[in-house]
Short mmCIF file of all heavy atoms in Angstrom, two decimals:
data_model
loop_
_atom_site.label_atom_id
_atom_site.label_comp_id
_atom_site.label_asym_id
_atom_site.label_seq_id
_atom_site.Cartn_x
_atom_site.Cartn_y
_atom_site.Cartn_z
N ILE A 32 -12.54 -12.57 -9.61
CA ILE A 32 -12.46 -11.19 -9.11
C ILE A 32 -11.65 -11.10 -7.81
O ILE A 32 -10.69 -10.32 -7.73
CB ILE A 32 -13.87 -10.58 -8.95
CG1 ILE A 32 -14.49 -10.37 -10.33
CG2 ILE A 32 -13.83 -9.28 -8.16
CD1 ILE A 32 -15.96 -9.98 -10.29
N PRO A 33 -11.96 -11.87 -6.76
CA PRO A 33 -11.14 -11.77 -5.55
C PRO A 33 -9.70 -12.26 -5.77
O PRO A 33 -8.76 -11.71 -5.20
CB PRO A 33 -11.84 -12.65 -4.52
CG PRO A 33 -13.12 -13.07 -5.10
CD PRO A 33 -13.12 -12.73 -6.54
N PHE A 34 -9.54 -13.28 -6.60
CA PHE A 34 -8.18 -13.78 -6.89
C PHE A 34 -7.34 -12.69 -7.54
O PHE A 34 -6.20 -12.46 -7.16
CB PHE A 34 -8.27 -15.01 -7.81
CG PHE A 34 -6.92 -15.57 -8.17
CD1 PHE A 34 -6.24 -16.36 -7.26
CD2 PHE A 34 -6.35 -15.32 -9.40
CE1 PHE A 34 -5.00 -16.88 -7.58
CE2 PHE A 34 -5.11 -15.83 -9.72
CZ PHE A 34 -4.44 -16.62 -8.81
N TRP A 35 -7.93 -11.99 -8.48
CA TRP A 35 -7.22 -10.89 -9.14
C TRP A 35 -6.88 -9.78 -8.15
O TRP A 35 -5.78 -9.22 -8.19
CB TRP A 35 -8.07 -10.34 -10.30
CG TRP A 35 -7.52 -9.08 -10.88
CD1 TRP A 35 -6.45 -8.96 -11.71
CD2 TRP A 35 -8.00 -7.76 -10.64
NE1 TRP A 35 -6.23 -7.65 -12.00
CE2 TRP A 35 -7.18 -6.89 -11.36
CE3 TRP A 35 -9.05 -7.24 -9.89
CZ2 TRP A 35 -7.37 -5.52 -11.36
CZ3 TRP A 35 -9.24 -5.88 -9.90
CH2 TRP A 35 -8.41 -5.03 -10.62
N MET A 36 -7.82 -9.45 -7.26
CA MET A 36 -7.55 -8.41 -6.27
C MET A 36 -6.39 -8.78 -5.36
O MET A 36 -5.54 -7.94 -5.05
CB MET A 36 -8.80 -8.12 -5.43
CG MET A 36 -9.87 -7.36 -6.15
SD MET A 36 -11.26 -6.96 -5.09
CE MET A 36 -10.53 -5.70 -4.06
N VAL A 37 -6.34 -10.02 -4.93
CA VAL A 37 -5.25 -10.46 -4.05
C VAL A 37 -3.93 -10.48 -4.81
O VAL A 37 -2.91 -10.00 -4.31
CB VAL A 37 -5.57 -11.85 -3.46
CG1 VAL A 37 -4.36 -12.45 -2.76
CG2 VAL A 37 -6.75 -11.77 -2.50
N MET A 38 -3.94 -11.03 -6.02
CA MET A 38 -2.69 -11.17 -6.77
C MET A 38 -2.14 -9.84 -7.27
O MET A 38 -0.92 -9.68 -7.41
CB MET A 38 -2.88 -12.14 -7.93
CG MET A 38 -3.18 -13.56 -7.50
SD MET A 38 -1.95 -14.24 -6.34
CE MET A 38 -0.55 -14.42 -7.42
N SER A 39 -2.99 -8.86 -7.53
CA SER A 39 -2.50 -7.57 -8.02
C SER A 39 -1.83 -6.78 -6.91
O SER A 39 -0.89 -6.03 -7.17
CB SER A 39 -3.64 -6.75 -8.63
OG SER A 39 -4.53 -6.32 -7.62
N GLY A 40 -2.29 -6.94 -5.68
CA GLY A 40 -1.67 -6.27 -4.54
C GLY A 40 -1.93 -4.78 -4.49
O GLY A 40 -1.34 -4.09 -3.66
N GLY A 41 -2.79 -4.26 -5.32
CA GLY A 41 -3.03 -2.83 -5.36
C GLY A 41 -4.20 -2.35 -4.53
O GLY A 41 -4.62 -1.21 -4.68
N PHE A 42 -4.71 -3.19 -3.66
CA PHE A 42 -5.88 -2.83 -2.86
C PHE A 42 -5.55 -2.95 -1.38
O PHE A 42 -4.68 -3.73 -0.99
CB PHE A 42 -7.06 -3.75 -3.21
CG PHE A 42 -7.47 -3.68 -4.65
CD1 PHE A 42 -6.96 -4.57 -5.59
CD2 PHE A 42 -8.36 -2.72 -5.08
CE1 PHE A 42 -7.33 -4.50 -6.91
CE2 PHE A 42 -8.74 -2.64 -6.40
CZ PHE A 42 -8.22 -3.53 -7.33
N SER A 43 -6.27 -2.20 -0.57
CA SER A 43 -6.04 -2.28 0.88
C SER A 43 -6.55 -3.63 1.40
O SER A 43 -7.38 -4.29 0.77
CB SER A 43 -6.78 -1.14 1.59
OG SER A 43 -8.18 -1.34 1.53
N ASN A 44 -6.03 -4.00 2.55
CA ASN A 44 -6.44 -5.28 3.14
C ASN A 44 -7.94 -5.31 3.42
O ASN A 44 -8.59 -6.33 3.21
CB ASN A 44 -5.66 -5.54 4.43
CG ASN A 44 -4.22 -5.93 4.17
OD1 ASN A 44 -3.87 -6.32 3.06
ND2 ASN A 44 -3.39 -5.79 5.19
N ALA A 46 -10.34 -3.67 1.83
CA ALA A 46 -11.08 -3.80 0.57
C ALA A 46 -11.05 -5.24 0.08
O ALA A 46 -12.07 -5.77 -0.41
CB ALA A 46 -10.50 -2.87 -0.48
N VAL A 47 -9.92 -5.90 0.22
CA VAL A 47 -9.80 -7.29 -0.21
C VAL A 47 -10.68 -8.20 0.64
O VAL A 47 -11.41 -9.05 0.12
CB VAL A 47 -8.32 -7.75 -0.17
CG1 VAL A 47 -8.21 -9.24 -0.40
CG2 VAL A 47 -7.50 -7.01 -1.21
#
Side-chain angles (χ1 to χ4, degrees):
I32 291 171
F34 180 78
W35 171 76
M36 286 184 72
V37 169
M38 295 306 289
S39 70
F42 300 93
S43 70
N44 287 342
V47 171

